[in-house]
Amino acid sequence: MVETGSTLRDWQPELRTLRYFLCVAEEKNMTRASERLRIAQPALSRQIARLESDLGLKVFNRTARGMELTEAGEILQRRAYAIMAQIAQAHHDVTAHADRPQGVVVVGMPPTPGEFITPPLLSRVKAEYPEIELRFVEGFSNALEHKLSQGEIGLAVMHDAPLQDDIVTTELLVEHLNVVGPCGALDKDSYTLAEAAAMPLIMPSRPNFLRILVDKHADEIGAELNIVQRVDGVWHLKSLVRHGHGFTILTYGGVLSEVQNGTLEARPIVKPQMAWTLCTATKADQRGKKAIQVVEALVRDIVGDLVASGIWR
C-alpha cells in the first residue's frame, strides 16, 4: 500500500473519473457500467484501478456478486454525489442568470434632466430588474465625459456626443436653447440670438459645453454676449435669474421644473435656432453588458414618455 499523506492532500481527480466510479458503484457490475458509459470495459477497469492507486485504498471488493463498495468506497460515493450535485447546481445557477441583467450600473446625469429621469428610472429598475443596483453621479457634460473615459461611470446622459472612437452614443432628443427669465419678464413669444445676447446675461464660464455652443453661434452672427455674471453651478445660476439679477440661456429641459412651478419662464431663441442634442453615452467595451443595455433602454423610454406627454419639448 502506498503512503497516503501527501498523495491525498494533492489528490485532484478528474470529474470523469468520479463519474465512472459512481456508475460502477450503482451498477455493481463492470460490464453493465461500461455499456452505460459507452466505453470499453478494459478502459473503465483501468480508470478504477488508477483511482484506487491514487488513493492508496481499495474502493471496490471484487466478489462473485460483482463490484461491492468498501467502507472507503462508500465514503467516496457520498462525497462524489455531493460534488456532482454542487456542479449541477453551479451549472443551473450560471445558465439561469447568464441572461439576467445584474450588477452595479453607475449613471452620470446632468443636474436638471436628471431631476426628471432619475426618479422614474430608479422605480422601474427596482420593479423590473431588482438584481441591478443603480448609483447616480451628477455633473455637467464635460465632467461626465471625463468620468466616462476614465471608467468611473458606465452610462452617461449628456449633451453633445463625445468625439471619441471608444465611446458609443445614442440620441435621446434634440433640444433648442431658450432665453430664461423671471416670470413676467419676457414679453415676446421668441427672441433672436442678437436680442438674447444684448440682455444682461448670467452664464457659465468656458469650457462649459453650453457656453461654448452659445459663443459659437454668437460669433457666427457677429454678436457679443452681454455677460454681467458668471456662475458655474446651475442651481445658483437659476436662483440669480429667479431673483431678478439677469437672464440666462438654457434648454427648456434645464428649467422644466421651474417653468412648471411658475418661478421662471422660457422663450425659444430663433434666427438662428440653436440645437443641443441630449444623448446617452457608454464606452464601447461596456456596451455588451446587459445591465447597461437595459438601463439605457429605460432612459430612452422615460425621455420618450416625457416628450410624448408634452412635459418636455
Side-chain angles (χ1 to χ4, degrees):
M1 184 176 292
V2 298
E3 293 185 11
T4 61
S6 62
T7 304
L8 288 179
R9 274 201 307 271
D10 301 333
W11 184 54
Q12 295 180 353
E14 294 182 0
L15 291 176
R16 180 181 60 179
T17 302
L18 291 180
R19 184 163 59 88
Y20 288 173
F21 161 74
L22 288 173
C23 187
V24 174
E26 290 167 358
E27 295 294 339
K28 301 182 185 300
N29 182 283
M30 195 69 75
T31 301
R32 289 197 301 269
S34 65
E35 291 173 352
R36 176 176 157 188
L37 293 167
R38 297 184 180 181
I39 63 172
Q41 183 175 328
L44 178 57
S45 296
R46 286 194 296 271
Q47 289 288 336
I48 298 302
R50 182 177 177 181
L51 172 64
E52 292 179 325
S53 176
D54 289 344
L55 284 170
L57 296 166
K58 291 291 184 181
V59 293
F60 288 108
N61 285 322
R62 281 73 172 172
T63 70
R65 295 189 302 275
M67 308 288 287
E68 298 289 343
L69 287 170
T70 64
E71 186 176 351
E74 290 175 352
I75 295 171
L76 180 59
Q77 184 186 43
R78 290 195 296 270
R79 298 294 187 269
Y81 276 137
I83 291 170
M84 292 302 180
Q86 287 181 334
I87 291 171
Q89 186 63 48
H91 179 270
H92 174 270
D93 291 345
V94 170
T95 55
H97 291 274
D99 294 328
R100 187 180 302 172
Q102 56 188 305
V104 177
V105 178
V106 183
V107 182
M109 289 274 187
T112 306
E115 183 181 355
F116 287 85
I117 296 173
T118 54
L121 178 60
L122 183 59
S123 296
R124 291 189 59 176
V125 167
K126 284 183 175 180
E128 299 174 32
Y129 304 101
E131 294 181 343
I132 294 178
E133 178 187 345
L134 285 183
R135 297 178 186 171
F136 294 105
V137 175
E138 182 181 296
F140 291 112
S141 295
N142 53 347
L144 294 179
E145 181 178 343
H146 175 74
K147 289 181 181 294
L148 191 65
S149 298
Q150 297 299 311
E152 297 176 31
I153 57 179
L155 173 69
V157 176
M158 58 191 301
H159 287 98
D160 284 345
L163 300 176
Q164 298 184 35
D165 293 338
D166 64 338
I167 292 181
V168 181
T169 61
T170 302
E171 182 179 301
L172 292 172
L173 78 161
V174 177
E175 294 192 273
H176 297 98
L177 298 189
N178 290 251
V179 177
V180 177
C183 280
L186 299 174
D187 55 5
K188 298 177 64 175
D189 291 335
S190 64
Y191 290 81
T192 67
L193 178 55
E195 291 172 331
M199 294 178 175
L201 294 175
I202 303 170
M203 295 291 290
S205 306
R206 296 175 69 96
N208 177 277
F209 282 9
L210 172 66
R211 175 66 188 280
I212 291 172
L213 177 66
V214 175
D215 283 353
K216 173 179 175 293
H217 283 86
D219 289 343
E220 289 175 354
I221 66 169
E224 184 175 349
L225 300 182
N226 178 28
I227 297 176
V228 296
Q229 183 64 53
R230 289 175 174 79
V231 179
D232 292 324
V234 66
W235 298 111
H236 289 164
L237 186 154
K238 290 191 289 187
S239 178
L240 290 176
V241 174
R242 194 165 57 246
H243 285 83
H245 291 280
F247 299 83
T248 193
I249 297 175
L250 289 171
T251 61
Y252 186 79
V255 291
L256 190 54
S257 178
E258 288 78 10
V259 170
Q260 287 186 325
N261 293 334
T263 58
L264 290 175
E265 59 184 9
R267 300 289 185 272
I269 295 175
V270 297
K271 298 181 181 179
Q273 192 176 59
M274 294 182 287
W276 207 18
T277 302
L278 187 71
C279 65
T280 59
T282 59
K283 291 195 73 174
D285 60 3
Q286 300 292 303
R287 189 73 173 176
K289 292 185 177 180
K290 294 186 180 297
I292 289 180
Q293 291 174 5
V294 299
V295 172
E296 182 181 30
L298 289 176
V299 169
R300 289 198 302 269
D301 289 348
I302 290 166
V303 172
D305 291 344
L306 289 169
V307 173
S309 66
I311 295 174
W312 196 340
R313 66 170 187 251

